[in-house]
Structure formats: structure tokens, C-alpha cells
Amino acid sequence: MQKQLAVSALFYFIVCSVSAQISSFTPKKIIGGISQKLIINGNNFGANQGNSYVSFNQESGQYLDAAASKALKYLSWSDTKIELEMPVAFSGKVKLNINGTDFMSGDTLKVTANLGYRSANPMVYEYLTNNNNRGGYTWYIHKTYWDIPEAKAAIEAVFREFRCKTGVNYILAPFSTQVGFNLGDTFNVIAPDPQLGPVGYNERLWTSCILGNETFYNIKSHDLHMSTSQDWYYGTGVCPAGKTKFRYVLYHELGHSLGLGHVNELGQSMFPSVSFLPSNTWSGRDSITSDERTAISYFINLSQNFTFRACGISPLSKVYDCQDVYGTNTSIDNVKYSPLTVYPNPANASIFLESVNLNLNETQICIRDYTGKQVIKTMYTEEGISVADLREGIYTIEIQTIDARYTAKFVKY
Ligand SMILES: [Zn+2]
């Protein structure tokens, strides 16, 4: 009896100590967060997943914990092969946990880009939408950069690059702004930030809309902070010693605005450090990388094709002319009609205008009578507009900017 027990205990020990082994995985280079399939080959993985899981190196330096690893999207699991959707990760060895015991791969899996998500299974993102009613997002250049021709040209070039390589419908407003950082306003600004510790910082505000059992997450506004403590180089090519390349930092921060997270692969714009070494060895290029292009394009495609419709949400439009960073060729169908207030109304002598969206000073105003005939065309000033010479009747005020058209009616008595 004693002997039989000993034998069965020994047998149990042998079964449990059989080593799993990762012999190979495919591909060796992968993008996280865009549902690319990773295939892990080897043996003794177990016939089914049970409590076992695959884990990956993270930006924190830790591996994804057991709960998060089990929540990844596994496509198949057998004793010799595991297939799963590649999550966001840093390059590193692949970790396999079989019933509580860790096994590491011999090779390193290289993660060249990461698209961030809210959940890995299924992958749920914070989508971009038709936020400006012109198919995407309008960014405002702060007067500081607007007034430096090289800085303005740098911003335009970087926008052209993203529009042409990824199809993102980002446009620049055709006038500068001096508004501060405020995610609650309608201004997505690119502006200097004297308080900023890092070189650059992209700040985003997401919002959600619930319809039935679906919660749709989307990006409501952005701001892009650029440090004032840098000695900026606005040009192209290799950055002169001691300076920080403005365009390269814009690639990195706009990459974040398009959903990208960091990677630890040298040569990528999303490598965490953006100035000096090591990024100075590759920041001389004036383009995003092909991996960044693949990851962002995947996200833009999702943002253009989602079917969710509620809370005024509609998808990102396709870019009409990718070189046209100010969106001046955009079809008039997309023009936004926004409220404009006229007071006093009815009016006898002068009228005054108010708009939340528009700086009215020195804006050209057109007033039409009830037949549509233009009766006044003038620049708006704080003195208002004299309507003393108009006949009694109903008139329409019209302001047409490149960005939008505003109309309001008033009564002359
Ligand atoms: Zn970053």
C-alpha cells in the first residue's frame, strides 16, 4: 500500500513538470492593436487554454498581468500551436504561462507600432469622427508659430505628410489663434506651453455616446503643447547639434493624436524620447515610417467606416486633396451653419453681432434683402453696422469664411 502511493505521487510529479517550449513564432515583426495574428509554435502548451495564457512586455517594463493576458483575443489553442491577436506591447521575449509556470521564448518579438485601444477583445477604440462638420478636425496654429514662417511651414508640411500617407482628415484653420489650452472649447490648438516639462504633449478629450447596448467612444478635442524650453529647429533633414527638431516632435505628438502609443524599437517616431540621443540618429528623415503609416491607416479606415449614428456622430470623411492642408477645396456641402446673434432686433439705427465660433472683428459682412439682393457689404467693427438707410423689412446677414458660413435674420423698422 505504501509503495503504491509513492509510485502514483511520482507519476503525478512527472506529468506536471513537462516543459512547454516555444520553438518559433510568426511573424517576427508585428504591429500591436490592429488585429494582426501572432502564431506561436512549440509543444506541451496543453490541449486547450484553460488557465494558461500568453503575455507580452509592456511600456512599464512589466509583462501584461495574468488577468489582462487571459482577456486577449485568442483565435486558437492546441498543444503545439497558439494563435492570438497581437495586443499593444513593447518588443521583448514572448512569455507563455502554462498552468502557473512561465516559459520564455528564445527570440525577441519586435513590435514596430502600437495602436491604443480601450479593450483588447473585441478591440474597441476611441474613434475619430466628423468633428468639424467638414469631415474631420480643424487645428488652429497659435500666433507664435503662425508668425514664424519656418514654423508655420513645418506644421503645414507635417499635416501634408499625415493627410497624404494616412488619409486623416485634419485641416488647419486659415487664421492664427491666441486661445489657450482648453479641451472644453472647440479649438484644437498647436501652441507653445511654458509650463510643459516634456518636449511635446498631445492632450485629448474623449467622450462616449450610448445607443442600445453599444457605447461608442470618440475623440472630442485635442491640444498639442510644444515646450518653450527647447531651442527649436524648424527645418528639414538632420537637426543641428543642441537643437530639437520641431517637425519630428510634431510627427510624434500627432502620432499620439491618431491613436498611436509608444514603442521601444529604434528608428520609430513613437520611440519615447524625441530629442537628442538616440532619436537624433533617425530624426533626420522627414516622414513617418511605413509601420506608423500602416497602424494609423488602419485606425483611419475604422474611423471612416463605423456605422454608429447617435449624438450627432458621423464618420471621418475621405480626404479630397491631401496636399490642401487648409481644406479650401472641400465641397461646400460640408460647410457648417452656426448660430449668429443679432441685437437689437428689431433694429432701427445700428446692429451688433455675436458669435461663439468666430472672431467677428474685421470680418466681412454681407446683408441681403428678402429678394436675396445684397444691400450692404462691409467689414464688421465694434461700432456695429449702421442700418439707418435700409428700408423697413426682413434682412439676412451672411458671413462666409473659408471655414464656415454664418447667417442670421433681423428686422429693420
Ligand atoms: Zn509620446
Side-chain angles (χ1 to χ4, degrees):
M1 196 63 187
Q2 283 278 3
K3 199 174 179 181
Q4 267 184 339
L5 264 176
V7 168
S8 84
L10 182 65
F11 177 71
Y12 182 72
F13 175 74
I14 289 167
V15 167
C16 277
S17 69
V18 165
S19 261
Q21 194 179 18
I22 298 173
S23 55
S24 68
F25 50 77
T26 331
K28 301 272 183 237
K29 262 178 63 179
I30 199 161
I31 295 173
I34 65 167
S35 294
Q36 288 191 349
K37 194 203 295 190
L38 180 70
I39 304 170
I40 302 168
N41 300 301
N43 46 61
N44 297 319
F45 298 161
N48 45 52
Q49 186 178 355
N51 272 324
S52 304
Y53 59 86
V54 179
S55 179
F56 300 92
N57 188 23
Q58 299 295 298
E59 183 170 8
S60 62
Q62 309 289 309
Y63 272 69
L64 205 59
D65 68 24
S69 297
K70 287 175 189 172
L72 297 177
K73 189 165 180 182
Y74 293 86
L75 304 169
S76 75
W77 189 293
S78 76
D79 199 46
T80 56
K81 184 166 129 182
I82 300 164
E83 296 176 307
L84 77 163
E85 283 190 358
M86 184 64 202
V88 164
F90 264 28
S91 297
K93 294 186 186 304
V94 177
K95 186 168 101 174
L96 189 56
N97 183 290
I98 303 294
N99 291 318
T101 306
D102 287 341
F103 302 95
M104 304 300 284
S105 67
D107 292 341
T108 292
L109 176 65
K110 287 177 174 291
V111 184
T112 52
N114 281 310
L115 179 62
Y117 44 71
R118 296 188 65 93
S119 110
N121 183 19
M123 283 192 183
V124 171
Y125 303 89
E126 290 164 6
Y127 296 92
L128 297 178
T129 66
N130 173 17
N131 177 268
N132 59 2
N133 288 325
R134 296 185 62 199
Y137 294 76
T138 305
W139 290 81
Y140 294 79
I141 302 178
H142 192 271
K143 194 171 185 309
T144 307
Y145 299 136
W146 187 273
D147 291 346
I148 304 170
E150 299 80 17
K152 184 167 172 265
I155 294 169
E156 290 167 354
V158 169
F159 269 63
R160 212 171 287 128
E161 169 76 3
F162 277 104
R163 283 168 59 85
C164 292
K165 291 268 177 76
T166 72
V168 66
N169 202 325
Y170 275 179
I171 55 170
L172 292 166
F175 45 85
S176 69
T177 186
Q178 296 198 69
V179 303
F181 298 112
N182 178 2
L183 288 175
D185 66 19
T186 57
F187 292 94
N188 306 304
V189 297
I190 302 172
D193 185 349
Q195 261 88 54
L196 189 67
V199 174
Y201 180 55
N202 169 243
E203 197 180 16
R204 279 160 289 166
L205 177 71
W206 61 266
T207 179
S208 63
C209 175
I210 299 169
L211 180 68
N213 53 15
E214 187 178 1
T215 304
F216 186 87
Y217 297 90
N218 61 98
I219 297 294
K220 192 81 184 157
S221 69
H222 298 264
D223 278 328
L224 213 158
H225 304 238
M226 301 294 273
S227 168
T228 54
S229 62
Q230 302 297 307
D231 185 5
W232 291 113
Y233 167 62
Y234 298 111
T236 58
V238 174
C239 185
K243 291 185 175 262
T244 304
K245 191 173 173 182
F246 193 73
R247 293 173 189 235
Y248 182 75
V249 175
L250 283 177
Y251 286 133
H252 182 96
E253 300 306 334
L254 282 172
H256 280 314
S257 87
L258 293 165
L260 296 191
H262 289 147
V263 295
N264 59 339
E265 277 298 311
L266 299 180
Q268 298 291 343
S269 316
M270 300 316 292
F271 190 88
S273 89
V274 290
S275 63
F276 308 111
L277 289 172
S279 58
N280 264 9
T281 60
W282 64 78
S283 68
R285 67 169 152 75
D286 288 289
S287 63
I288 55 172
T289 68
S290 62
D291 299 295
E292 287 152 4
R293 182 179 186 167
T294 302
I296 296 170
S297 300
Y298 181 89
F299 180 54
I300 297 305
N301 186 49
L302 292 176
S303 294
Q304 286 173 341
N305 292 298
F306 61 76
T307 55
F308 188 88
R309 296 289 183 282
C311 308
I313 291 167
S314 61
L316 210 59
S317 299
K318 286 201 162 41
V319 165
Y320 176 70
D321 169 5
C322 75
Q323 301 285 333
D324 176 24
V325 289
Y326 291 96
T328 43
N329 297 335
T330 307
S331 158
I332 198 74
D333 297 346
N334 289 329
V335 167
K336 175 170 66 178
Y337 294 85
S338 298
L340 182 70
T341 307
V342 187
Y343 68 92
N345 190 6
N348 180 249
S350 287
I351 54 166
F352 299 87
L353 304 179
E354 263 183 3
S355 169
V356 289
N357 300 66
L358 192 63
N359 175 13
L360 290 163
N361 260 346
E362 302 303 317
T363 300
Q364 187 161 282
I365 310 292
C366 168
I367 298 179
R368 296 181 189 279
D369 67 14
Y370 71 98
T371 68
K373 185 182 157 210
Q374 181 179 296
V375 289
I376 291 179
K377 190 175 184 183
T378 185
M379 298 302 267
Y380 187 75
T381 68
E382 282 172 4
E383 271 86 59
I385 306 164
S386 170
V387 293
D389 293 337
L390 296 181
R391 282 190 222 163
E392 289 176 14
I394 296 171
Y395 292 84
T396 303
I397 298 179
E398 212 175 77
I399 302 174
Q400 175 76 63
T401 69
I402 289 170
D403 216 19
R405 177 193 292 165
Y406 301 76
T407 60
K409 285 195 190 321
F410 74 96
V411 174
K412 168 71 199 300
Y413 67 93

